[in-house]
Amino acid sequence: MPHSTHADPGSHHPYLRAATAGVRHHTSSLTLAPLPAERPQIDAVHAHFAALHLLLDRLHADTHLPWPSAGQQLAAARTRLWQAATAVHDAYHLLPRPAEPGGVGEDCRPERLPEGPPFLTICQRHLAASHTARRTTSPSDLASPLRTHHSSCTR
């Protein structure tokens, strides 16, 4: 059997293909009825970004020693993804909270849910992911604008 330089993407990360298909499906369903973003949608996008950030961190850790240039690009992608997750987290808090039938917002009744108010779950996820971002990225890199990408790709 000939040796292939391209591994099956599902062999190391079996759920990545399914997750990508799910994101594509939801993206295409959004175009059917253009509506403003709501907190549950933004929360789901943030969950994807946080998971992708951790995946890129792992890929960088496994790649940067054997292929430093590729590792550097993965580190840059991880940083930019963290910046995107932070912007999505901020957008979540700028969206209006859904009102209950009696006019009371979701954060006024934390005793109704055992895990606390729903608006805190995105913050808990963001805080957990921030530990990885702070461990692996300097503050100046986190604040820097996107640099241009230099690649050997030709189109």
Side-chain angles (χ1 to χ4, degrees):
M1 176 181 259
H3 182 269
S4 172
T5 58
H6 299 294
D8 175 21
S11 63
H12 297 293
H13 304 284
Y15 301 110
L16 188 56
R17 186 176 297 176
T20 302
V23 169
R24 284 184 186 143
H25 169 75
H26 290 290
T27 301
S28 66
S29 69
L30 288 176
T31 60
L32 299 177
L35 297 170
E38 294 180 350
R39 283 181 154 211
Q41 293 170 320
I42 299 301
D43 184 40
V45 169
H46 185 271
H48 284 294
F49 279 2
L52 284 172
H53 182 262
L54 292 175
L55 176 61
L56 278 173
D57 184 55
R58 176 68 187 271
L59 291 173
H60 169 261
D62 295 343
T63 305
H64 81 279
L65 288 177
W67 298 287
S69 296
Q72 184 179 15
Q73 294 299 323
L74 290 172
R78 177 188 61 204
T79 300
R80 301 308 168 243
L81 191 58
W82 175 250
Q83 291 170 333
T86 299
V88 168
H89 174 255
D90 293 345
Y92 177 89
H93 287 293
L94 294 173
L95 290 173
R97 291 182 180 97
E100 291 180 2
V104 178
E106 68 181 28
D107 58 338
C108 296
R109 303 279 211 172
E111 69 279 1
R112 288 188 176 185
L113 298 172
E115 69 273 9
F119 70 91
L120 290 179
T121 57
I122 190 172
C123 296
Q124 292 167 348
R125 182 186 324 113
H126 198 69
L127 182 61
S130 73
H131 293 295
T132 301
R134 289 189 182 122
R135 177 182 52 82
T136 60
T137 313
S138 70
S140 62
D141 282 343
L142 288 174
S144 71
L146 183 61
R147 292 184 286 258
T148 58
H149 170 68
H150 300 286
S151 175
S152 59
C153 299
T154 58
R155 289 191 184 237

